[in-house]
Amino acid sequence: MKTCLVTGGLGFIGTNFIKYIAANRKDIAIINVDSVTYAANPCNIDEKTMTGYKFYKLDIANNDELGNVFNENNIDYVVNFAAESHVDRSIMNPAIFVRTNIEGTLNLLKLSLEHKIEKFLQISTDEVYGSLGKDGLFTEMTPLSPRSPYSASKASADMLVMSFFHTYGMPVLTTRCSNNYGQYQFPEKLIPLTIINALTGKEIPLYGDGKNIRDWIYVDDHVRGVLDVLEKGRFGEVYNIGGRSEMQNIDIITLILKKLNKPLSLIKYVKDRAGHDRRYAMDFSKITKELRFNPQLNLNDGLDLTISWYLKNEDWWKKIISGDYRHYYKTMYEMR
Ligand code: NAD
Ligand code: TYD
């Protein structure tokens, strides 16, 4: 039995990771540390279905409180999902990104070193590599060139993680993944925002000319890649995880509207995001060759699953859009 400390386990990807472990791996006990920001949902995890599950509501940047978690438990693995994760928010308020993504990661690294944990996995993003033109792919050797406060904070964290490998010989691993989509994603991100606005008859804000490109990966595929790296990855290495599904924003919104049988007139071109990265695309041949990882779902099938989840789980997202998110929606799009 291994004990895995997961941070950010009430957010989108952390929730899916914990559910995957609960369903498939009885040999891994989860300790979930989450400060429960706007992006978290305490109802996501049903504690009764999990053996050995513990939850701590705390900020990973708080040394004393996080230290108690390490003192109280025998932790083997740390997987760091906790982050401020939305680029638009980082443009409006970068300081919280520095606090959580950089200081929080440093705190977690220091405690993990002190407690001699077996493995530390940092969950990172393709956005640390910057922006691509029409051609080319990010590889693990692509120089870091972050362009938003969000990606700058994630790149800083990645470098701290690697510094603990070189300086202290700490057993660290890093994954960098493409844009995720799927169940439990907070509706500030493009795909759930499009689905929910379409269902509620609201305009869908499309930034700039709508031709920015992202590589999309279904969250379950990402979660499997994370577990592969945690169990079989080589220390001190970075592994890109991609979805092999590049698409322009206008095309993905159009596809979702067609699947929902909603009018394209809902699309509203709005002022572009400041410093908007043009294109992300991944070369993930390293994880494929070394760990035999490949994404299983194509974008079309993944979108069908995602749309049907949001249709079946209205309660989950209606609580969000009638609460804090309504205020956020106004400040972000109507006052931009
Ligand atoms: P999310 O915003 O949905 O969830 C983040 C979670 O972290 C929330 O539950 C929040 O409460 C928690 N959190 C925030 N600050 C905290 C703090 N100081 N202490 C403890 N908990 C805190 O994010 P997500 O989309 O699930 O992303 C998870 C990770 O994956 C992030 O590190 C992100 O950078 C990375 N990532 C995300 C994507 C994507 O497309 N969403 C792609 C690649 C990598
Ligand atoms: P987002 O989901 O915020 O992820 P990221 O910025 O981390 O890639 O945005 C995905 C793409 O969609 C990005 O090019 C910005 C664009 N976008 C819109 O056009 N409208 C929106 O309302 C949002 C949230 C994003």
Side-chain angles (χ1 to χ4, degrees):
M1 189 81 179
K2 295 287 183 191
T3 299
C4 181
L5 171 63
V6 169
T7 69
L10 295 182
F12 166 46
I13 307 172
T15 289
N16 281 287
F17 181 76
I18 292 176
K19 284 181 181 294
Y20 184 88
I21 298 283
N24 298 287
R25 298 295 299 267
K26 300 293 174 215
D27 57 332
I28 301 179
I30 297 287
I31 297 175
N32 182 5
V33 166
D34 196 303
S35 62
V36 194
T37 68
Y38 77 94
N41 191 330
C43 304
N44 286 357
I45 306 285
D46 179 4
E47 304 199 6
K48 291 191 293 298
T49 62
M50 312 262 313
T51 3
Y53 177 81
K54 282 191 195 169
F55 173 67
Y56 292 87
K57 180 174 187 264
L58 62 89
D59 176 353
I60 56 164
N62 183 319
N63 182 265
D64 290 346
E65 288 186 5
L66 192 62
N68 288 338
V69 178
F70 279 82
N71 290 334
E72 284 168 20
N73 298 281
N74 232 334
I75 294 162
D76 300 297
Y77 303 152
V78 173
V79 183
N80 185 25
F81 290 99
E84 287 292 333
S85 69
H86 193 45
V87 174
D88 291 326
R89 281 178 185 257
S90 80
I91 295 167
M92 287 165 70
N93 177 18
I96 183 69
F97 286 71
V98 171
R99 161 97 181 159
T100 290
N101 300 1
I102 305 177
E103 292 173 26
T105 302
L106 178 59
N107 200 26
L108 205 53
L109 282 166
K110 285 196 300 195
L111 286 163
S112 299
L113 181 66
E114 202 179 304
H115 289 264
K116 299 189 174 54
I117 57 101
E118 214 177 293
K119 297 182 185 199
F120 182 104
L121 170 49
Q122 173 68 2
I123 304 297
S124 187
T125 162
D126 58 358
E127 304 193 23
V128 298
Y129 296 123
S131 179
L132 290 165
K134 268 208 319 278
D135 304 310
L137 301 170
F138 297 131
T139 77
E140 291 84 356
M141 303 305 286
T142 303
L144 301 190
S145 180
R147 291 157 34 99
S148 72
Y150 163 66
S151 53
S153 69
K154 292 296 289 185
S156 308
D158 286 14
M159 288 195 280
L160 282 170
V161 169
M162 211 50 95
S163 80
F164 271 60
F165 173 72
H166 291 295
T167 309
Y168 308 109
M170 199 168 130
V172 306
L173 301 147
T174 303
T175 54
R176 295 193 179 127
C177 191
S178 308
N179 282 59
N180 285 225
Y181 67 98
Q183 58 280 354
Y184 299 101
Q185 187 168 32
F186 190 82
E188 65 187 349
K189 304 287 195 318
L190 182 68
I191 289 180
L193 178 89
T194 299
I195 296 171
I196 287 170
N197 281 16
L199 291 175
T200 52
K202 278 198 196 137
E203 285 173 338
I204 297 154
L206 178 57
Y207 300 168
D209 66 1
K211 293 185 176 162
N212 299 64
I213 293 174
R214 297 293 181 262
D215 171 45
W216 295 96
I217 183 169
Y218 188 63
V219 65
D220 288 3
D221 279 327
H222 182 195
V223 158
R224 281 189 310 102
V226 166
L227 199 56
D228 283 347
V229 172
L230 181 66
E231 301 201 304
K232 300 181 286 184
R234 288 181 294 131
F235 295 139
E237 294 291 323
V238 171
Y239 293 89
N240 283 353
I241 302 177
R244 209 179 282 113
S245 293
E246 281 184 55
M247 199 176 268
Q248 289 187 349
N249 295 336
I250 177 68
D251 293 335
I252 204 155
I253 295 177
T254 303
L255 184 59
I256 293 170
L257 289 173
K258 284 192 177 146
K259 284 179 184 292
L260 285 169
N261 210 12
K262 300 288 180 186
L264 299 186
S265 56
L266 284 175
I267 299 172
K268 185 181 180 204
Y269 282 87
V270 299
K271 188 164 157 261
D272 206 356
R273 171 188 280 172
H276 196 174
D277 288 343
R278 192 62 174 170
R279 176 174 165 257
Y280 303 145
M282 287 290 240
D283 175 340
F284 56 97
S285 52
K286 178 174 172 179
I287 190 174
T288 303
K289 268 196 217 119
E290 275 189 32
L291 310 182
R292 304 263 162 267
F293 169 83
N294 255 307
Q296 288 176 355
L297 235 71
N298 64 39
L299 184 54
N300 191 57
D301 294 347
L303 277 179
D304 285 343
L305 282 182
T306 306
I307 288 171
S308 80
W309 187 85
Y310 281 91
L311 285 170
K312 278 194 210 117
N313 291 277
E314 276 194 1
D315 283 358
W316 186 89
W317 56 263
K318 281 203 167 147
K319 271 193 207 126
I320 297 173
I321 64 166
S322 57
D324 287 350
Y325 177 63
R326 195 177 52 187
H327 166 71
Y328 166 66
Y329 184 90
K330 275 201 179 132
T331 54
M332 195 59 75
Y333 302 110
E334 294 177 9
M335 293 165 61
R336 254 158 56 107

